Amino acid sequence: MAAPIYQTASGRLWHAGKILIVAVGLPARGKTHVSRALERYLRWLGVKTQVFSLGDYRRKHIGGAQDLPKDYFQTNEWSEETKTLRASIKRGCEDMIRAFFGGKQRGQVAIYDANNGTKEARRELAEEWGREGVHVIFLESVCTNQDIVEANIRSVKISSPDYKGWDPEKAVADYWTRIREHEQYYHTIDEEEWAWIKVINIGERIQMNRIQGYLQSRIVFFLMNIHTKHRTIYFARSGESLIEHSYKADADLSPSGWAYAERLMDFVLERRRKSVEARRQQDQSAEKNKLVVWTSTRRRSHHSAWPFQQAGYKVLQKSQMCEINPGIWDGLSPEEAMETYPDEYDRFAKDPYAFRAPRAESYHDLSVRLEPVLVELEQCQDDLLIVTHSSVIRCLLGYLIGLPPHEVPAIEINRGDLVEVVPASYGVHSQTLHFWARTQSEGSPEGQNALEDFKGEKNGHLHESPDPGAMDLPPSEDGDEERVGRTLFRDGVHVFAPDIQVTTSTPTKVDPQRAS
């Protein structure tokens, strides 16, 4: 199962039961990053999953570090006020987990993001939730590499609300103090009676105990393929072809398509240069990643990346990234499909994700086909440019930003837009930048295809990125104000970039300054 295949009356996979994954680890060990990435993957599998962060709950209901008692982050000798406050925060967060597993929300996997660093605390959690019929798995993040810890502090922790307005170096020093305080009382996992997974140096090595069953095995498989290195993923549609929107033709690029390919390269390189400069203003040690380009095996996709290949960049073709097969709808616009196949088109409009036209693929089929690409996407530590077809970009974006499946076909991907996605510990940041617009001299207007260019009710989709833990939850009788998980934020702001002047000839020599 690589994408939602079926739904049950309870909303859960019957053979997996309710699972609580309890994050364990010292501060700045990547617990939040791992939790969010795992949440994204499990949702892709069709498993109703949500992260519950003790730190996020505390910041929402109490405030940042400046609003807490001075001994709050110490690990012993708390005042009575601090003990009461900590117990209240813990109880409130765990009550949200109970509500998630309850009859209305019917969640299956909850991820409890907190330190949980002592054996006593872990035993209490395992016994308490076990009595409630929930299977507990401890997920420990261990970092023996201090460079990973330092990078995590600088890239994530000092930008949190706890350090708002702080000098960066003082924030780093304060967080190191917090870590050393925890180290005095921290116990690594070695309890043989509980199920646990130990991730060492973010995927470098994995140990496990009492892991069994399909879903638990998929969790381990995913954790073997992740990392926390900063990288940017870019998406762009392929250029215009000589025979537009014909699946069978596999036509080459038109003159307009070749000009588009040149402009795409210049814009991406300029955008990467500015992004590195911006990062180095915040962190002088920030490095410039290499750039790798992925395309499908279709001519218009691979040739849209031809300027990158000629300039010395690594360009990989992946057959799994070919566009959705339209079957007998090949070459038909939505209007033509509606007129020729009115009954089928009506079913497609009602459920565009699951509908399969005769001899065609559905978006669900495409999602299943793309699973190996998703695994490689998680493994890749370089900056990545994916030049492919709109249907493929929709599925990959849906995975990265955590959209429910029924919204995937409605994501708007226009030719000439570069979608920039930056995976981060507390979510995924995305924005769309416009770099190319058709002129009268560049040929005829774009054609249409019922499957590739379907927009549905979500016309003008702005790549909504769910808040950490966001889910399609039923309305709360008490109102949404007290619930974490339904509020959406939009990072997908459309930014128009000035037109870039380029030539239509492809470079024939490798520029060592560019090929990095």
Side-chain angles (χ1 to χ4, degrees):
M1 182 172 63
I5 285 184
Y6 65 91
Q7 291 183 339
T8 63
S10 67
R12 303 189 184 105
L13 306 183
W14 63 271
H15 52 74
K18 294 181 286 187
I19 297 175
L20 175 64
I21 298 176
V22 179
V24 178
L26 289 165
R29 262 55 178 185
K31 297 187 300 298
T32 298
H33 183 99
V34 171
S35 297
R36 300 295 180 194
L38 182 58
E39 175 191 45
R40 186 171 64 237
Y41 180 70
L42 290 177
R43 286 182 180 175
W44 173 264
L45 292 182
V47 179
K48 196 165 188 180
T49 307
Q50 186 168 348
V51 172
F52 296 86
S53 169
L54 194 67
D56 286 346
Y57 183 89
R58 183 257 302 166
R59 281 185 283 269
K60 178 181 178 181
H61 292 85
I62 307 298
Q66 69 278 2
D67 300 314
L68 300 172
K70 293 183 178 179
D71 62 343
Y72 185 88
F73 290 111
Q74 295 178 7
T75 52
N76 66 331
E77 298 181 0
W78 292 314
S79 65
E80 290 301 318
E81 175 192 4
T82 300
K83 288 180 181 179
T84 302
L85 179 61
R86 292 179 68 94
S88 174
I89 292 171
K90 181 175 182 292
R91 184 170 56 253
C93 188
E94 292 179 10
D95 284 346
M96 291 181 63
I97 298 176
R98 289 186 176 88
F100 174 72
F101 283 133
K104 290 184 178 180
Q105 299 184 30
R106 296 185 295 191
Q108 180 150 39
V109 177
I111 303 175
Y112 189 11
D113 182 10
N115 289 339
N116 300 305
T118 66
K119 292 185 177 182
E120 180 182 357
R122 295 195 289 267
R123 178 175 294 278
E124 289 178 359
L125 281 170
E127 292 178 349
E128 179 180 357
W129 287 99
R131 288 192 293 268
E132 299 184 26
V134 177
H135 182 67
V136 176
I137 301 175
F138 294 103
L139 175 57
E140 183 179 18
S141 295
V142 178
C143 278
T144 58
N145 186 334
Q146 294 302 302
D147 291 338
I148 295 178
V149 178
E150 179 79 18
N152 193 30
I153 292 174
R154 291 188 176 277
S155 65
V156 178
K157 297 303 180 182
I158 65 173
S159 61
S160 78
D162 286 345
Y163 292 105
K164 185 177 181 179
W166 281 54
D167 175 83
E169 294 305 318
K170 290 183 178 179
V172 170
D174 181 81
Y175 205 84
W176 271 116
T177 300
R178 191 184 299 185
I179 290 174
R180 294 187 184 99
E181 181 72 23
H182 279 80
E183 285 176 339
Q184 298 178 47
Y185 303 94
Y186 181 80
H187 301 105
T188 189
I189 288 181
D190 57 9
E191 298 95 322
E192 294 185 1
E193 64 269 36
W194 311 123
W196 51 259
I197 305 168
K198 187 178 295 189
V199 181
I200 301 171
N201 292 333
I202 315 297
E204 181 180 291
R205 187 157 54 94
I206 288 184
Q207 299 174 352
M208 67 196 77
N209 184 64
R210 294 180 178 267
I211 297 300
Q212 56 188 356
Y214 172 79
L215 187 55
Q216 296 178 37
S217 300
R218 296 296 293 184
I219 290 170
V220 173
F221 165 75
F222 177 76
L223 294 174
M224 294 171 63
N225 293 284
I226 62 173
H227 63 87
T228 59
K229 185 178 178 181
H230 182 280
R231 45 76 179 266
T232 303
I233 304 169
Y234 303 96
F235 293 93
R237 285 181 58 174
S238 55
E240 181 187 76
S241 62
L242 293 168
I243 305 176
E244 273 289 90
H245 301 291
S246 173
Y247 180 82
K248 296 178 181 178
D250 191 17
D252 207 341
L253 292 176
S254 67
S256 173
W258 286 107
Y260 171 94
E262 290 280 358
R263 199 164 300 177
L264 172 63
M265 183 178 73
D266 280 30
F267 184 80
V268 169
L269 298 186
E270 178 65 14
R271 178 64 186 167
R272 293 184 71 237
R273 184 186 65 80
K274 291 181 178 179
S275 296
V276 171
E277 288 179 357
R279 286 182 58 214
R280 285 178 177 168
Q281 288 179 358
Q282 299 179 343
D283 181 5
Q284 295 297 322
S285 62
E287 298 180 357
K288 182 178 180 180
N289 294 343
K290 292 182 178 179
L291 177 67
V292 177
V293 184
W294 290 358
T295 76
S296 79
T297 53
R298 308 287 281 182
R299 287 189 179 93
R300 61 181 176 274
S301 174
H302 178 59
H303 287 174
S304 294
W306 188 254
F308 288 94
Q309 184 166 324
Q310 292 296 97
Y313 291 90
K314 186 176 182 179
V315 178
L316 301 176
Q317 299 182 57
K318 297 183 179 295
S319 60
Q320 299 98 329
M321 294 203 315
C322 290
E323 73 266 43
I324 190 169
N325 186 340
I328 65 173
W329 288 16
D330 186 21
L332 298 181
S333 69
E335 292 76 19
E336 291 169 335
M338 189 184 308
E339 180 179 350
T340 309
Y341 304 99
D343 294 338
E344 287 89 346
Y345 191 84
D346 183 60
R347 293 198 299 272
F348 168 64
K350 290 178 180 177
D351 190 0
Y353 181 80
F355 176 79
R356 183 186 296 113
R359 297 194 293 277
E361 288 180 302
S362 66
Y363 270 91
H364 169 74
D365 297 329
L366 178 58
S367 297
V368 172
R369 167 154 56 93
L370 285 170
E371 189 192 17
V373 176
L374 296 182
V375 175
E376 291 186 67
L377 192 67
E378 293 290 352
Q379 289 176 331
C380 183
Q381 299 188 21
D382 299 318
D383 285 351
L384 185 60
L385 169 64
I386 297 177
V387 184
T388 186
H389 317 278
S390 57
S391 56
V392 175
I393 295 175
R394 288 185 180 113
C395 291
L396 296 178
L397 272 178
Y399 165 76
L400 285 171
I401 63 182
L403 287 180
H406 68 271
E407 289 191 26
V408 167
I411 298 176
E412 185 176 350
I413 304 294
N414 296 314
R415 182 170 289 152
D417 285 349
L418 182 74
V419 182
E420 180 182 85
V421 179
V422 181
S425 293
Y426 290 93
V428 174
H429 306 289
S430 67
Q431 62 178 327
T432 302
L433 304 108
H434 188 67
F435 68 92
W436 181 85
R438 177 184 300 279
T439 65
Q440 291 184 352
S441 62
E442 288 180 321
S444 59
E446 293 185 50
Q448 285 187 312
N449 180 288
L451 293 182
E452 283 284 310
D453 291 324
F454 175 78
K455 294 183 174 59
E457 296 180 358
K458 291 289 184 178
N459 193 9
H461 199 328
L462 289 180
H463 311 306
E464 289 180 334
S465 299
D467 221 359
M471 292 286 290
D472 269 344
L473 303 180
S476 169
E477 295 179 355
D478 301 325
D480 286 341
E481 290 78 6
E482 297 302 319
R483 291 174 49 226
V484 173
R486 196 60 188 101
T487 304
L488 298 179
F489 66 87
R490 288 182 174 87
D491 269 327
V493 179
H494 287 267
V495 181
F496 185 81
D499 193 21
I500 299 176
Q501 300 297 321
V502 297
T503 61
T504 56
S505 59
T506 31
T508 56
K509 295 183 179 180
V510 174
D511 184 345
Q513 295 299 319
R514 291 175 112 179
S516 59

